[in-house]
Amino acid sequence: YMPHRRTYTFLVLFTMLFNGGIVPTYLLIKNIALIDNRLVYILPSLIAAFNVIIVKNFFQQLPTSLAESAKVDGAGEFRILFSLYIPLSKPVLATISLWTAVTHWNMWFDALIYINSDSKQVMQTFLQRIVIESNTELIEKGLVSPDVTQFTPETIKAATVIVTILPILFAYPFVQKYFVKGITLGGVKE
C-alpha cells in the first residue's frame, strides 16, 4: 500500500490530459540545453503517463498473497520484486516496450524542431525530407544519389513507407504473444 496513491494517480492522469504545448516545451528543452543534443530523443519521452497507469493497474491485480508468502519464507523487498513481480510482469513490460519503441521510432517531429545539425537527425526526418523536398535540392547537398531522379515521386514515397515500417514489423512477432495479454491484464481494473 502506498500513501497518497490517489493523489499521485491524479497527478499522472492530469499530465496525460493537459500539457503546456509546443512553445513551453521548446523553451523547457532550450533551458535544459537539449537543443541540438541527442538526449532530446530520450529524456522528454522517457516516461509516458499512459504507460505508468497501465503498469500500475497490472501490479494492482497481482495477488498480495504472493508477497506475503515470500515474506514468510524470508524474502526481502528486492527479492520479491526481482523473483516474483518482474517475471510475472513480462506481458505488460513487453507491451510497454513495444509502445515505447514505436514512439521513439516515429519521433521525426522532435528531430525537426530540436535538432539543427544534419548529422544528428533521425532517419524518419531524412525520409520525410526525401518525400517532401525536391530531389534536386537533396542531390545538390549530396544527401541523395543522382540515380534517384529516375524514379517517380510515388515510387519514392512507397519505398520510404516500407523503410519506415520494416523495423517495427520485424520486432512485432517477438512481442506479439505478450501484447494482447499485457493490454488485457494492465488495462482492466476490478
Side-chain angles (χ1 to χ4, degrees):
Y1 177 75
M2 182 175 173
H4 309 294
R5 66 179 176 187
R6 289 182 189 253
T7 305
Y8 293 133
T9 302
F10 172 76
L11 290 174
V12 168
L13 187 63
F14 188 81
T15 63
M16 188 172 81
L17 298 176
F18 303 102
N19 62 18
I22 293 177
V23 174
T25 304
Y26 181 83
L27 293 174
L28 175 67
I29 298 293
K30 184 178 178 185
N31 287 337
I32 59 176
L34 289 180
I35 298 293
D36 208 28
N37 188 339
R38 288 193 172 124
L39 288 176
V40 79
Y41 298 130
I42 299 168
L43 293 180
S45 62
L46 194 59
I47 298 175
F50 183 71
N51 295 348
V52 169
I53 291 171
I54 293 291
V55 171
K56 175 189 136 328
N57 286 342
F58 177 82
F59 279 116
Q60 279 182 336
Q61 290 181 358
L62 292 176
T64 56
S65 59
L66 283 173
E68 291 169 359
S69 64
K71 284 182 183 178
V72 168
D73 290 340
E77 296 295 329
F78 286 109
R79 174 90 175 165
I80 293 170
L81 176 68
F82 291 111
S83 296
L84 287 176
Y85 287 146
I86 298 295
L88 287 174
S89 63
K90 283 182 184 175
V92 76
L93 292 178
T95 303
I96 298 301
S97 299
L98 182 67
W99 288 347
T100 304
V102 170
T103 300
H104 282 287
W105 183 249
N106 292 327
M107 289 187 107
W108 67 271
F109 190 66
D110 290 348
L112 194 65
I113 293 176
Y114 304 126
I115 301 295
N116 299 327
S117 23
D118 286 338
S119 64
K120 295 177 184 173
Q121 292 287 342
V122 292
M123 187 174 70
Q124 285 74 12
T125 307
F126 179 70
L127 294 173
Q128 184 233 9
R129 286 177 59 194
I130 289 175
V131 171
I132 292 177
E133 292 180 9
S134 64
N135 290 333
T136 57
E137 185 177 325
L138 293 173
I139 292 170
E140 289 170 3
K141 289 182 179 180
L143 297 174
V144 175
S145 170
D147 298 334
V148 172
T149 57
Q150 66 186 355
F151 299 111
T152 64
E154 289 78 19
T155 307
I156 293 173
K157 287 178 185 177
T160 56
V161 167
I162 295 299
V163 166
T164 303
I165 66 170
L166 276 179
I168 300 302
L169 237 133
F170 285 133
Y172 184 75
F174 297 108
V175 294
Q176 191 247 347
K177 64 181 175 180
Y178 300 114
F179 191 65
V180 174
K181 189 176 179 184
I183 293 173
T184 307
L185 291 176
V188 177
K189 175 82 170 101
E190 292 181 15

